[in-house]
Amino acid sequence: MMKKQSIVSIDNLSKQEILSLLEDAAWFEQHPNHKILDGKVIATLFFEPSTRTRLSFETAVNRLGGRIIGFSDPAATSTSKGETLKDTIKMVSNYVDLIVMRHYLEGAAQYATEVTDVPIINAGDGAHQHPSQTMLDLYSIYKTQGRLDDITVTMVGDLKYGRTVHSLLQALSHFRVKFNFVACDELRMPREFITFCKENHIDFTESTDFSEEVINNSDIIYMTRVQRERFADLAEYDRVKDLYTLHNAMLDGSRENVRILHPLPRVNEINVDVDDNPKAYYFQQAKNGLFARQAMICKCLGINPKQNN
Ligand code: CP
């Protein structure tokens, strides 16, 4: 039996562990219904809305033969009567083998690991981290490019509040990747991540202009939604929400291998005329989440999928 573990942040995983999870995700893509979670119960506790993350985690468990409990609306739980996060986590820990949780507060998943011995997977905490999204993003990049080294990744939109770009940047720092950060001044990549790039000798550019040159020199264009729910001032949100929209014609001079990624949901960042372009990959990307999450669930439960084959 492998060791059980929580995954709160992508930097809980070494490069070797990331590569091993990608290998397992590829294995699950070939064996999505492998019944290795018989007798396991997994909780999905979603204190914030979700479509893909919750449903793909639940599908992952169902396909592997485990059982799911949980909630998607905290208003229907005793949280609405004033029960604390600590008490909720301790209670649910009495019933399950693994907790997958999303919370609007940064640090909530880390806090949960401090009040229970049951492993936790962070399914997003505020503007902080979204490591399972990162694993499916890495898997999508690897599948479409055939490598994670020597690629140019352009991140566009809300680089301030977008937790997916923060996690992805940290994960890709293990590989030789050049980044273009395209955002307006209000939503630029936070200083701590710019410092991180400098300290780790990561090649990057910062620009407010989503230019033809940037598009045509990218292998991955990672569009992001402006995170309305993180703005204290909605007038500021209205000012910046539609600054970057990718249209199909903007891809005319792009590389053959370029793929458009987006963690979804999209609002106005990608025009629907991109959807039929073979370079659009965001729906397949979301499908890859099923396999990446099957791999993560097994890792956190200490199960090696191949040994149980
Ligand atoms: N990408 C993502 O986290 O989507 P959901 O918010 O729908 O889970």
Side-chain angles (χ1 to χ4, degrees):
M1 185 85 168
M2 292 153 52
K3 200 161 116 329
K4 294 181 187 178
Q5 73 169 92
S6 295
I7 302 177
V8 167
S9 167
I10 199 67
D11 55 19
N12 295 150
L13 300 170
S14 66
K15 179 178 181 179
Q16 194 45 50
E17 286 175 309
I18 287 173
L19 291 172
S20 172
L21 280 171
L22 294 177
E23 205 179 287
D24 288 349
W27 192 86
F28 277 119
E29 187 161 5
Q30 300 306 315
H31 307 85
N33 297 309
H34 183 45
K35 303 285 185 254
I36 44 175
L37 294 189
D38 185 33
K40 301 289 184 200
V41 181
I42 285 91
T44 52
L45 311 185
F46 278 65
F47 294 87
E48 253 197 350
S50 167
T51 297
R52 277 145 293 274
T53 308
R54 186 174 66 83
L55 296 181
S56 63
F57 264 116
E58 295 188 356
T59 305
V61 172
N62 284 326
R63 286 194 177 277
L64 297 180
R67 297 293 181 102
I68 280 282
I69 65 163
F71 56 81
S72 56
D73 178 9
T77 74
S78 289
T79 301
S80 63
K81 301 176 201 161
E83 186 160 50
T84 62
L85 178 61
K86 178 180 179 181
D87 287 1
T88 303
I89 295 295
K90 286 180 87 65
M91 278 304 101
V92 175
S93 299
N94 288 330
Y95 313 135
V96 301
D97 301 288
L98 172 70
I99 295 173
V100 178
M101 67 175 278
R102 170 173 288 187
H103 202 280
Y104 48 86
L105 287 179
E106 296 182 26
Q110 176 60 38
Y111 176 71
T113 66
E114 291 163 15
V115 300
T116 181
D117 292 330
V118 170
I120 304 284
I121 297 181
N122 180 8
D125 60 331
H128 181 224
Q129 282 268 331
H130 194 349
S132 68
Q133 178 71 43
T134 305
M135 286 312 307
L136 77 88
D137 291 343
L138 291 175
Y139 186 48
S140 299
I141 295 170
Y142 186 75
K143 273 177 72 177
T144 60
Q145 305 301 315
R147 63 189 193 284
L148 293 171
D149 282 306
D150 303 319
I151 55 172
T152 298
V153 174
T154 295
M155 296 175 163
V156 186
D158 186 348
L159 307 188
K160 178 179 178 183
Y161 297 117
R163 56 194 172 200
T164 66
V165 289
H166 303 157
S167 302
L168 185 58
L169 167 60
Q170 284 180 307
L172 285 171
S173 70
H174 293 296
F175 305 92
R176 283 188 307 277
V177 173
K178 181 187 171 191
F179 293 95
N180 298 310
F181 302 137
V182 178
C184 60
D185 287 336
E186 293 89 336
L187 297 179
R188 60 189 291 199
M189 187 62 84
R191 276 297 110 200
E192 64 189 280
F193 292 106
I194 296 298
T195 304
F196 174 82
C197 288
K198 289 178 180 162
E199 285 176 354
N200 290 281
H201 309 289
I202 294 167
D203 194 3
F204 72 94
T205 69
E206 272 195 291
S207 167
T208 56
D209 186 15
F210 190 23
S211 67
E212 204 177 317
E213 188 189 349
V214 163
I215 291 171
N216 293 352
N217 288 300
S218 298
D219 300 302
I220 294 292
I221 299 175
Y222 194 99
M223 302 299 296
T224 63
R225 176 179 67 90
V226 177
Q227 306 274 299
R228 183 179 189 276
E229 61 275 32
R230 314 264 178 246
F231 280 76
D233 175 0
L234 284 183
E236 185 179 335
Y237 167 75
D238 283 334
R239 202 170 54 248
V240 299
K241 67 180 180 195
D242 293 325
L243 289 179
Y244 301 103
T245 303
L246 182 67
H247 293 267
N248 200 35
M250 293 163 71
L251 294 169
D252 283 352
S254 63
R255 294 177 175 172
E256 268 314 299
N257 64 302
V258 73
R259 290 295 177 272
I260 314 305
L261 268 55
H262 189 309
L264 303 177
R266 72 171 149 181
V267 184
N268 287 325
E269 310 80 51
I270 303 178
N271 192 281
V272 290
D273 68 359
V274 180
D275 292 0
D276 293 330
N277 189 321
K279 295 173 180 175
Y281 195 74
Y282 26 95
F283 295 118
Q284 297 98 313
Q285 177 189 359
K287 182 174 180 182
N288 289 335
L290 172 59
F291 315 120
R293 288 176 172 128
Q294 287 182 319
M296 293 178 81
I297 289 165
C298 287
K299 180 171 180 60
C300 291
L301 287 170
I303 295 170
N304 179 345
K306 291 169 205 159
Q307 273 177 9
N308 288 273
N309 192 11

